Amino acid sequence: MTAKRANDTMTAITDLQWMRRALELASQGTALASPNPLVGAVLVRDNQEIGQGFYTFDDKKHAEIKAIEQAGPVARGADLFINLEPCCHTGRTGPCTEAIWAAGVRRVVSAMPDPNPLVSGRGFAQLRKAGVEVEVGLEQESAERLNESFAVHIRMSRPLVTLKAAMTLDGKIAASKGNSEWITSDQARSYVQHQRHEQDAILTGIGTVLADDPLLTDRTGKPRRRPLLRVVMDSQLRIPLAAKLLQEVNNDLLVVCSATAPSNKRKDLEQRGAQILALNDEIRPALKDAIEELGRREIISLLIEGGLAINSEALRSGLADKVFLYYAPKLIGGMQALPLAADLGIQSMKDAIMVRGIRHHQFGEDFAIEGYLRKIYI
């Protein structure tokens, strides 16, 4: 290996390490940045970190601005590693591209373009025009996963929808008597709390509420900018007033019902702090309409933890973007035990819903499959 090739290889390894540092910083904004993206930035000079930052919505300052301010004058001639393309427009703050070249940053290494089609590529173009060296694509897959919720919301005005379920190896989510507590281990259920912390909202159906009486809370104890919004699909407002969901309501419970739901029950729920969303449907409100409303409320990520009915509607109507399916090493069999979903209208294997980009997770003896039902980045 020549000295130049050895030096190029060392630079590539070093760049990879710094980009992973930027991604690590970005992830520190989990539950604190929404509805904006997770962004981390690190300024490097002579292979030493001289400034770093990550974005939170309430702080307003972007990650790269924090890194530049921390570095001060030594930012001149430095390299900036960032997981997302620097902004080039005025929003809540001014353009970061201007601050970058004004600080004299020599090179910007970005993992991915901004998924906003109105912005994508323009930040890079402005930097290059100003004489800043720009490299794009290092750790792009990791960066895209980190901000997939933002990408869906900015392009489709709705949240990224993840269908989560716990099953036996033979695909049953509950025994014949409807009991589903507990299929998976403590270790797997602990990870569910991690998942909830990453979400803006969690949704279930009235059937699950009546059967399991869940809390549906984020119990990680980690800070959040907004409370996890708990959403219940309950067409006729059958939710018991003694339900655990109603015991401590802090602007975090939304009950979606039909316009024909009893008005007296609606008043009772509102008195307990619940928000009521009455959709103009005589039978039962459509999950699609509820999800669209969440998008209007700047909810960018939604975790479905439902039962047979909700799962079936999410899959049949193509509303779910991805699945996260937990499996426990158990078999219960039986025609009456509940499967993940009911009839989806699929008549042959060639019409089966495909799950792609699969990742495996292990939780002791339990495991989970995470995969996508559609492409998030196009």
Side-chain angles (χ1 to χ4, degrees):
M1 181 181 292
T2 65
K4 182 180 183 305
R5 287 181 60 192
N7 186 61
D8 289 345
T9 301
M10 183 59 69
T11 299
I13 294 173
T14 302
D15 283 359
L16 181 61
Q17 292 172 335
W18 288 120
M19 182 57 74
R20 288 175 176 171
R21 168 69 172 146
L23 287 163
E24 176 190 12
L25 286 164
S27 67
Q28 293 182 38
T30 298
L32 299 172
S34 177
N36 288 341
L38 295 167
V39 184
V42 56
L43 265 174
V44 178
R45 185 168 183 173
D46 298 326
N47 205 30
Q48 297 292 319
E49 180 177 313
I50 59 172
Q52 54 89 3
F54 64 91
Y55 174 77
T56 62
F57 186 88
D58 291 339
D59 194 1
K60 291 187 181 181
K61 284 185 181 179
H62 289 196
E64 51 269 60
I65 301 302
K66 291 180 180 180
I68 289 170
E69 289 181 351
Q70 190 178 106
V74 293
R76 185 163 299 279
D79 295 343
L80 174 68
F81 293 83
I82 188 166
N83 62 297
L84 187 69
E85 178 179 8
C87 70
C88 57
H89 61 288
T90 300
R92 299 171 74 215
T93 64
C96 290
T97 49
E98 292 183 7
I100 290 169
W101 72 62
V105 172
R106 179 185 72 88
R107 181 173 70 127
V108 170
V109 182
S110 177
M112 60 177 286
D114 190 322
N116 185 344
L118 299 177
V119 176
S120 186
R122 295 184 181 182
F124 296 144
Q126 286 190 9
L127 289 170
R128 290 185 175 111
K129 187 177 180 180
V132 179
E133 183 182 343
V134 176
E135 298 176 19
V136 185
L138 185 62
E139 286 288 88
Q140 183 163 341
E141 182 178 348
S142 297
E144 288 180 344
R145 283 185 179 274
L146 190 65
N147 275 312
E148 59 191 16
S149 298
F150 173 73
V152 168
H153 187 260
I154 200 69
R155 289 176 169 177
M156 304 180 190
S157 301
R158 63 164 180 83
L160 174 86
V161 178
T162 301
L163 175 62
K164 169 257 172 187
M167 295 181 284
T168 58
L169 284 181
D170 51 345
K172 306 298 185 181
I173 63 171
S176 58
K177 292 185 178 180
N179 179 265
S180 61
E181 192 178 70
W182 296 100
I183 293 177
T184 52
S185 64
D186 290 345
Q187 190 174 349
R189 295 199 303 276
S190 177
Y191 191 76
V192 171
Q193 294 302 319
H194 166 78
Q195 286 183 288
R196 289 180 181 180
H197 182 68
E198 293 180 332
Q199 305 293 316
D200 285 346
I202 182 171
L203 181 147
T204 196
I206 185 59
T208 298
V209 174
L210 295 175
D212 299 337
D213 195 17
L215 281 169
L216 300 179
T217 51
D218 170 5
R219 296 190 284 279
T220 62
K222 297 177 181 179
R224 303 184 61 96
R225 188 179 80 84
R226 303 183 287 186
L228 176 67
L229 181 65
R230 301 172 294 165
V231 184
V232 179
M233 303 295 294
D234 183 8
S235 61
Q236 294 303 309
L237 298 180
R238 292 188 292 147
I239 183 172
L241 297 180
K244 290 179 181 177
L245 283 166
L246 290 164
Q247 299 315 299
E248 293 185 17
V249 181
N250 183 25
N251 197 34
D252 64 347
L253 179 62
L254 176 67
V255 182
V256 184
C257 66
S258 168
T260 61
S263 59
N264 59 334
K265 185 63 174 290
R266 174 172 178 165
K267 290 179 181 177
D268 288 341
L269 292 172
E270 288 176 333
Q271 286 177 352
R272 284 163 171 77
Q275 303 173 51
I276 306 297
L277 174 62
L279 297 177
N280 190 23
D281 191 302
E282 293 185 359
I283 304 174
R284 57 191 297 257
L287 183 59
K288 178 177 181 292
D289 293 337
I291 290 173
E292 288 177 352
E293 173 61 24
L294 292 178
R296 286 189 285 271
R297 296 184 182 208
E298 294 194 320
I299 297 296
I300 72 171
S301 56
L302 172 66
L303 184 67
I304 292 181
E305 287 193 26
L308 180 68
I310 292 291
N311 293 346
S312 301
E313 185 174 359
L315 292 171
R316 187 187 305 115
S317 58
L319 293 169
D321 297 294
K322 61 186 295 188
V323 293
F324 201 105
L325 305 177
Y326 291 84
Y327 289 90
K330 302 174 182 177
L331 302 169
I332 58 175
M335 296 296 290
Q336 301 304 314
L338 297 181
L340 171 67
D343 184 12
L344 299 178
I346 295 170
Q347 301 298 315
S348 65
M349 279 297 175
K350 67 180 178 64
D351 298 321
I353 298 171
M354 294 298 297
V355 182
R356 306 183 188 279
I358 288 177
R359 300 172 73 192
H360 298 80
H361 304 265
Q362 197 72 38
F363 307 100
E365 292 185 334
D366 298 342
F367 67 93
I369 300 295
E370 177 185 10
Y372 295 84
L373 307 183
R374 63 166 55 86
K375 288 184 177 180
I376 304 302
Y377 293 89
I378 302 172

